[in-house]
Amino acid sequence: MTTNDRPQTARSGGPRRKQQIFDATLKALARDGFESMTIEGIAEESGVNKTTIYRWWPSKSALLGAALIDAPLMDLPMADTGHLRGDLEHLVDGLVRLLTTHPSGAVARSVLGAAVSDPGLATYIQGFFADRLAREQSLIDRAVARGELPPGTDTMLLMDLLAGAVWLRAVFRRQPLDDDFARRTVATVLDGVRTS
């Protein structure tokens, strides 16, 4: 990935109407899908010139990668409840809401489908997940400091187990998630399924 191809985030600047551009990008993705969304349509919907978008993001893959990281629609707040179990339950509940409500659920499903067939987009999606994992790391660091988890806990594995349960149930199996799903999922991951 060259310097010009690097995903642009809030931390690396952007045009004055960046948030409108990101919102229009995710709206177009949810409505049209990745293949059918266009920079021209995003420019028109966000009220900017398409050259402004291309100045900051060289492709729609780059634009979508930046929008996923910085747009509030895909934000997953990290709670600090004072204990690991509560923090993880809050995280799983947030992911359930993100994947089962519109338009965030449509965006997530569209991104997943597009990333499988578009290697360029897959690179930017990796950036999104790296950013998400960095945000989740603080939750694990607090749990290690409190003695709830051992040092060296594999944050990615823990998050993959929790998020995977939500994705499989909500997106792939299309099964309803009851109000107790987050508690049961976190309990299974932290405590296991066997009785002692």
Side-chain angles (χ1 to χ4, degrees):
M1 187 180 288
T2 67
T3 303
N4 289 339
D5 293 336
R6 228 177 260 140
Q8 299 294 316
T9 68
R11 293 172 292 283
S12 57
R16 201 166 30 92
R17 300 193 64 189
K18 179 172 66 172
Q19 199 55 60
Q20 289 93 329
I21 294 168
F22 288 166
D23 291 345
T25 300
L26 296 182
K27 183 177 178 182
L29 178 69
R31 182 187 61 233
D32 306 328
F34 182 71
E35 290 300 320
S36 297
M37 68 182 252
T38 65
I39 295 291
E40 291 75 12
I42 292 166
E44 184 177 331
E45 186 158 334
S46 61
V48 302
N49 192 304
K50 69 179 180 180
T51 57
T52 299
I53 294 176
Y54 281 119
R55 186 177 307 125
W56 289 93
W57 302 282
S59 66
K60 68 179 182 179
S61 295
L63 175 57
L64 179 56
L68 288 170
I69 292 172
D70 285 345
L73 177 67
M74 301 307 288
D75 195 26
L76 198 57
M78 302 293 144
D80 185 355
T81 65
H83 53 90
L84 175 64
R85 196 171 299 265
D87 290 353
L88 292 178
E89 288 174 5
H90 185 272
L91 183 67
V92 171
D93 272 334
L95 185 56
V96 166
R97 280 190 301 279
L98 191 140
L99 292 178
T100 59
T101 59
H102 188 78
S104 58
V107 167
R109 288 187 299 278
S110 293
V111 166
L112 177 66
V116 170
S117 60
D118 186 316
L121 178 59
T123 300
Y124 290 99
I125 300 306
Q126 288 173 349
F128 166 75
F129 282 113
D131 178 79
R132 183 60 53 87
L133 189 63
R135 295 179 193 199
E136 294 162 346
Q137 186 62 51
S138 63
L139 185 152
I140 301 304
D141 291 344
R142 289 193 307 265
V144 169
R146 290 190 300 255
E148 296 174 293
L149 289 173
T153 293
D154 187 337
T155 302
M156 186 183 296
L157 177 59
L158 178 58
M159 295 305 167
D160 286 352
L161 290 168
L162 294 169
V166 180
W167 272 91
L168 279 170
R169 186 71 58 94
V171 176
F172 294 104
R173 293 186 178 163
R174 296 189 179 264
Q175 296 292 313
L177 303 176
D178 60 40
D179 293 341
D180 200 36
F181 181 80
R183 186 200 62 75
R184 289 185 294 110
T185 302
V186 170
T188 299
V189 170
L190 293 182
D191 305 330
V193 295
R194 294 184 345 175
T195 57
S196 49

